[in-house]
Amino acid sequence: MESRASEAQARKVLAANDKGSYTAPAPNLYPHQWLWDSCFVAIGLAHYQPRRAMIEISSLLDAQWQNGMIPHMIFAAKTPYWIGHRFWRSWRSSAAPQHIGTSGITQPPLVAIAALAVADKLTPGERVVWLRQVYPSLLAYHRWLYRERDPHNTGLVVLIHPWESGLDNSPVWMEVLKRIPNPLWLGTFFRLKLDKLINGFRSDVHSVLMHQRLSEVEAVRLLHRAILLRQQNYDSYLILQKNHLLVEDLTFNSLLITANRALFDIATLINEELPSDLNLRTQKTEQALEELWDETSGQYYSRNFRTQKLVKTPTIATFMPLYSGTISPERAQRLRSLLTNPTAYWPLYPVPSASLSSDYFDQHRFWQGPTWINTNWFIIKGLEHYNFAAEAIHLRQTTLGLIEKTGFREYYSPLTGEGLGASDFSWTAALYIELINSKVGPSLTRS
Ligand code: 9WN
């Protein structure tokens, strides 16, 4: 359905990808349910089908693990997939649900944000019923994040796999991965150049050109890391003790701050109070974000959990603290200058996922250069929050214009606007609807 975009076309994309209880991210390439994709879809659907948006979120919560984790992928029955149910084997963990197969890791925690966005579009009576229904699960998820992923009570949540960040092969994660030695067998596998064999199993490179996806070496290493987690039965305590690919991810923690605020707003709307220990930890996250700031380069970075060193590789993540809304106006001002530097992040079709001046930059390669609509949406919201009106308007217009010119693609070349990755991509359609219909304004959530 590749054609010039309009709101009606966007709705058609979402309808075509609708699987009943969830919306597949893209036809052919991604047939199952993904956590943050469904949140973006719900935010878009809320504008015209709030009841269908509720179903999108409920189906995520239906797959929640007993320990509170919401998994990053939820598998539809009888739908073969190269890294599907049989690969993940969620049954290895006693916390996994019995009735449905899922992955064993999570993804950016946008559920409370999406649930609140949907609530906004309901009648006051429906709103309270809806929020009462989802609140216990959302609370359990945020408690899980702090209990199992912030072992030293620093406020920063630790991710155990690049897929959890949603920005899979982002240079940050590839830098950390590069420094972790391969086991002997994997080193030999790479030396013999057997990594190309992986393409026989990869369904992603059947529908998208190879140079737009993960490289073979990246794909093999990510799969290997996921197998290690499986062997550890997805036990966070064990994983945090033993593993080395552990990152206090900047994007995830920035989004978590806004999600915590959404959870707080939800509690207030239904006359509940967040448990005091959770309140303290959420405040800590806001403060701890400052530990990720590097004064010399004027940027935020992720931190390697093992070495406690910042991973000083410039990526789009540096702008996500704008979306948290809790950084100082001075820091926000420095981020604005960096963002609008045409040699770094402000080409014709901003915002590239890696700086144009980074060694990693590749205009076609997945999270190593292309412009994505979800990260643009976070940045637009952040710019609006800090009242950087001119930049926010420019980015809104270039983002909508890019989609209108090229269609609902998964990502785009920041230099030429060429559409890349999957076509008819759900979150691009959903956020197009959201951008067209949402008010330009400073609020990230209610409070
Ligand atoms: C692995 C579905 C997902 C997105 C991620 C994006 C990509 C999966 C993949 O697609 O990841 O989770 O197979 O590469 O990186 O952000 O949620 O759209």
Side-chain angles (χ1 to χ4, degrees):
M1 196 193 295
E2 208 49 63
S3 69
R4 293 175 75 80
S6 64
E7 190 173 348
Q9 287 289 340
R11 290 186 186 196
K12 274 191 196 155
V13 167
L14 292 183
N17 294 343
D18 188 350
K19 303 284 177 196
S21 61
Y22 75 95
T23 306
N28 308 321
L29 185 58
Y30 304 120
H32 297 282
Q33 182 170 25
W34 267 261
L35 198 172
W36 76 333
D37 298 66
S38 274
C39 294
F40 295 124
V41 165
I43 289 168
L45 283 174
H47 288 282
Y48 63 104
Q49 282 183 344
R51 269 155 219 89
R52 176 62 187 77
M54 288 159 76
I55 295 173
E56 192 78 24
I57 293 174
S58 299
S59 59
L60 285 175
L61 302 182
D62 180 51
Q64 183 166 33
W65 287 28
Q66 269 166 35
N67 56 12
M69 184 182 81
I70 303 180
H72 107 291
M73 289 178 75
I74 301 161
F75 299 110
K78 300 191 190 116
T79 307
Y81 190 62
W82 72 293
I83 31 177
H85 184 34
R86 288 214 197 103
F87 172 81
W88 285 96
R89 302 179 203 162
S90 48
W91 61 81
R92 291 184 64 132
S93 167
S94 55
Q98 304 286 313
H99 66 290
I100 195 159
T102 78
S103 68
I105 58 173
T106 193
Q107 236 190 354
L110 301 180
V111 200
I113 297 171
L116 188 61
V118 174
D120 256 358
K121 306 290 181 217
L122 302 175
T123 63
E126 285 174 328
R127 181 175 308 141
V128 173
V129 174
W130 164 243
L131 292 178
R132 279 197 187 288
Q133 182 190 322
V134 292
Y135 178 69
S137 311
L138 298 176
L139 182 61
Y141 180 46
H142 285 237
R143 295 198 100 160
W144 172 82
L145 283 168
Y146 284 106
R147 188 181 65 245
E148 297 210 7
R149 295 301 188 80
D150 178 16
H152 306 322
N153 195 4
T154 63
L156 293 174
V157 162
V158 182
L159 302 190
I160 59 175
H161 194 287
W163 283 331
E164 289 200 312
S165 75
L167 275 53
D168 307 354
N169 68 340
S170 172
V172 173
W173 280 89
M174 296 306 104
E175 276 298 301
V176 181
L177 194 55
K178 234 169 47 188
R179 282 170 176 70
I180 299 174
N182 285 316
L184 194 62
W185 68 267
L186 193 55
T188 314
F189 183 84
F190 285 135
R191 264 193 304 283
L192 296 175
K193 303 224 176 307
L194 295 176
D195 45 288
K196 301 267 182 254
L197 289 179
I198 184 81
N199 294 335
F201 299 96
R202 287 175 74 174
S203 60
D204 59 337
V205 291
H206 295 158
S207 48
V208 173
L209 293 172
M210 182 65 218
H211 74 284
Q212 298 177 12
R213 294 284 303 175
L214 299 170
S215 71
E216 285 96 351
V217 172
E218 287 168 355
V220 171
R221 291 213 72 186
L222 262 55
L223 285 178
H224 170 236
R225 299 308 306 188
I227 291 169
L228 287 181
L229 301 178
R230 182 176 83 195
Q231 287 166 348
Q232 292 163 311
N233 299 332
Y234 307 113
D235 176 338
S236 297
Y237 299 103
L238 186 67
I239 291 165
L240 292 190
Q241 242 173 39
K242 301 241 180 246
N243 293 11
H244 290 273
L245 185 61
L246 300 171
V247 172
E248 291 163 328
D249 185 82
L250 176 58
T251 301
F252 196 99
N253 280 286
S254 302
L255 306 186
L256 176 60
I257 290 175
T258 301
N260 282 334
R261 215 166 33 247
L263 184 66
F264 177 85
D265 289 346
I266 291 172
T268 310
L269 283 166
I270 56 171
N271 291 321
E272 292 280 347
E273 254 180 55
L274 286 190
S276 54
D277 60 316
L278 183 63
N279 248 330
L280 285 176
R281 299 193 81 158
T282 63
Q283 285 162 20
K284 260 197 162 159
T285 309
E286 297 180 14
Q287 291 149 12
L289 207 58
E290 279 311 283
E291 293 167 29
L292 305 183
W293 173 257
D294 172 57
E295 182 58 27
T296 316
S297 60
Q299 293 185 49
Y300 286 94
Y301 296 106
S302 294
R303 188 163 66 185
N304 182 329
F305 178 67
R306 274 280 169 261
T307 63
Q308 283 295 296
K309 294 220 167 81
L310 295 181
V311 188
K312 294 190 189 168
T313 306
T315 70
I316 196 168
T318 195
F319 303 112
M320 295 306 139
L322 290 170
Y323 181 73
S324 79
T326 52
I327 59 171
S328 69
E330 292 73 31
R331 295 256 195 278
Q333 181 60 49
R334 287 188 71 179
L335 291 181
R336 168 169 76 163
S337 307
L338 176 67
L339 176 69
T340 51
N341 176 347
T343 64
Y345 291 103
W346 214 238
L348 222 43
Y349 303 98
V351 178
S353 39
S355 168
L356 303 178
S357 60
S358 153
D359 290 345
Y360 275 95
F361 178 78
D362 176 340
Q363 61 171 314
H364 298 117
R365 177 87 71 192
F366 216 35
W367 292 99
Q368 296 181 353
T371 291
W372 291 70
I373 303 306
N374 62 339
T375 40
N376 274 16
W377 183 68
F378 292 130
I379 296 173
I380 292 167
K381 293 273 151 198
L383 290 170
E384 287 173 355
H385 179 78
Y386 285 95
N387 288 319
F388 297 141
E391 292 79 5
I393 289 170
H394 178 81
L395 193 53
R396 256 181 193 266
Q397 284 170 348
T398 53
T399 304
L400 291 172
L402 179 59
I403 301 171
E404 279 155 14
K405 172 174 127 155
T406 318
F408 302 101
R409 298 299 296 262
E410 190 179 5
Y411 41 97
Y412 305 83
S413 161
L415 306 181
T416 65
E418 178 193 355
L420 305 167
S423 298
D424 295 333
F425 191 61
S426 293
W427 87 41
T428 302
L431 293 178
Y432 180 83
I433 295 169
E434 154 72 7
L435 280 170
I436 292 266
N437 289 290
S438 61
K439 290 194 295 285
V440 177
S443 156
L444 287 168
T445 64
R446 209 172 294 272
S447 55

